[in-house]
Amino acid sequence: YGCRVDPHGKYIRKYIPELANYPVGYIYEPWKAPLDIQEKAGCIIGCGYPEPMINHKEASDRNRKMMEELRKILLQKSNMKEPKHIKPSDESEIRVFFGLQSNES
């Protein structure tokens, strides 16, 4: 999400000074930077900045599966009828929600 709303990492550079000298390509995932880039930036991941606490892909996959399971349970409890209030109205509403287009479009 951060790289979408702040593609140059200005917020991170301001509030996490350890990462201020990282190139834009690594500012959101500094642990992926090769050691020479970490050294040049003055921050070695695991020493001057912590290793990642979670694997975001694994956590996202696990959460998606749990939400799908919850959806199945809720649909069973509501006799397989989806409540209208929990669905986006159309594709444009989905695109606005995920920041793929502005609300004015």
Side-chain angles (χ1 to χ4, degrees):
Y1 173 79
C3 59
R4 202 172 63 209
V5 297
D6 180 20
H8 301 290
K10 290 180 182 179
Y11 182 89
I12 288 180
R13 292 178 201 287
K14 180 176 180 178
Y15 293 102
I16 307 174
E18 297 86 353
L19 302 179
N21 297 321
Y22 267 78
V24 171
Y26 295 107
I27 194 79
Y28 286 100
E29 297 176 308
W31 53 90
K32 291 185 176 181
L35 184 57
D36 63 318
I37 291 177
Q38 292 181 37
E39 289 171 343
K40 187 175 179 183
C43 178
I44 308 297
I45 303 304
C47 295
Y49 190 79
E51 295 277 350
M53 296 172 73
I54 63 168
N55 179 314
H56 288 280
K57 170 122 176 62
E58 289 175 8
S60 179
D61 289 346
R62 184 180 63 245
N63 290 340
R64 181 182 42 76
K65 287 175 185 174
M66 288 190 307
M67 290 179 74
E68 288 172 359
E69 186 60 33
L70 176 61
R71 179 180 181 272
K72 288 177 189 175
I73 292 168
L74 292 174
L75 282 173
Q76 287 173 347
K77 287 185 176 187
S78 66
N79 296 320
M80 302 305 284
K81 295 178 185 171
E82 284 190 34
K84 293 180 182 177
H85 67 279
I86 62 166
K87 287 175 63 175
S89 301
D90 55 29
E91 185 176 334
S92 68
E93 190 174 301
I94 294 169
R95 296 179 73 71
V96 169
F97 178 80
F98 284 105
L100 301 173
Q101 74 184 39
S102 69
N103 210 5
E104 292 86 39
S105 297

